Amino acid sequence: MSDQEYDSPEAREERYLKRQKKKKEIVDARIASATEERGVLLLLRGNGKGKSSSAFGMLARALGHGQRCAVVQFIKGRGSTGEYKFFSELPQVDFHVMGHGFSWETQDLDKDREAARQAWQLTLPMLQNPDYNLIVLDELSYMIKYGHLDAAEVAEALANRHRMVNVVVTGRVMADELLAVADTVSTIKDDGHAFRKGVKSQPGIDW
């Protein structure tokens, strides 16, 4: 048994306060060193569930601060998703559902490629518009993976967007070109999914 286990409550509290004071000094120093003000590019990748959910959580946060936002969905083709029903009704959000659904549902390469190009052409002027605080490009990474959009072209446009515009890109796999220009990259791991247990997808959880 260690000596600390015999310490008085006062001694334990003193050690706790010392640790917290040291931690605060470290955090304060990091905050003080972060002086640059600009928009960031966030990539949400991985095979786990929750990438789009995280992006729309940030969208809700931005709206809570009164910011103007935009959403471009590159795959989802139905307007019955919960996020569309909720966010598209808000005047601060420009919401665009550009896809025709998943590729295994459409089974039309030309149609999918044209939808991707139209969505990207819609996105380009948004990236240069300082009125937008946050732009969510949902499932954009798949357009690169499938060869519908050029990775270098997309990365260049994202890197050269207006300085104050924040962008969130979702998708399982991110091209190296996007990773090279990103500020924050989060990977969501799949440790299990109800669908593989035979549980039917349901509104509010899956769409």
Side-chain angles (χ1 to χ4, degrees):
M1 187 174 290
S2 67
D3 293 339
Q4 290 185 359
E5 293 183 70
Y6 292 104
D7 284 347
S8 66
E10 292 79 9
R12 289 196 294 271
E13 182 177 0
E14 183 180 357
R15 284 199 307 275
Y16 172 80
L17 291 175
K18 286 182 178 179
R19 289 197 303 271
Q20 295 307 310
K21 180 180 179 182
K22 182 62 176 178
K23 182 179 293 186
K24 185 178 187 306
E25 290 174 354
I26 294 173
V27 172
D28 287 348
R30 289 176 178 172
I31 293 175
S33 65
T35 58
E36 186 178 6
E37 294 186 15
R38 64 173 177 82
V40 295
L41 172 61
L42 303 95
L43 306 182
L44 302 177
R45 65 177 182 175
N47 61 355
K49 173 178 171 54
K51 296 178 290 296
S52 294
S53 300
S54 177
F56 285 109
M58 281 184 269
L59 180 65
R61 180 180 295 158
L63 292 172
H65 288 287
Q67 298 179 355
R68 183 182 175 192
C69 306
V71 178
V72 181
Q73 291 190 302
F74 282 79
I75 287 184
K76 293 183 178 69
R78 56 186 176 188
S80 60
T81 61
E83 57 264 29
Y84 176 80
K85 287 184 174 182
F86 180 77
F87 289 111
S88 65
E89 295 295 323
L90 302 179
Q92 308 100 305
V93 182
D94 295 329
F95 204 116
H96 305 275
V97 180
M98 300 297 293
H100 297 292
F102 295 103
S103 57
W104 58 85
E105 293 176 341
T106 61
Q107 299 185 27
D108 189 328
L109 178 60
D110 291 337
K111 186 177 182 180
D112 291 340
R113 182 174 290 126
E114 181 58 28
R117 290 173 177 170
Q118 289 181 10
W120 182 239
Q121 289 303 311
L122 176 74
T123 300
L124 285 172
M126 290 182 179
L127 295 175
Q128 298 300 326
N129 188 343
D131 291 337
Y132 289 116
N133 298 103
L134 176 66
I135 300 174
V136 175
L137 303 179
D138 193 28
E139 297 171 328
L140 167 62
S141 74
Y142 293 104
M143 302 302 98
I144 297 173
K145 178 183 178 182
Y146 298 155
H148 299 341
L149 298 175
D150 180 73
E153 178 183 333
V154 172
E156 181 180 6
L158 292 174
N160 294 321
R161 70 190 184 280
H162 189 278
R163 179 177 176 78
M164 298 308 297
V165 174
N166 297 289
V167 178
V168 182
V169 177
T170 71
R172 287 198 172 196
V173 179
M174 293 291 169
D176 290 340
E177 290 87 346
L178 267 62
L179 292 170
V181 298
D183 295 293
T184 299
V185 180
S186 294
T187 303
I188 300 177
K189 183 182 177 184
D190 179 7
D191 288 323
H193 200 294
F195 185 72
R196 293 198 294 275
K197 296 181 179 180
V199 181
K200 186 177 180 180
S201 297
Q202 55 184 302
I205 298 297
D206 297 293
W207 75 85

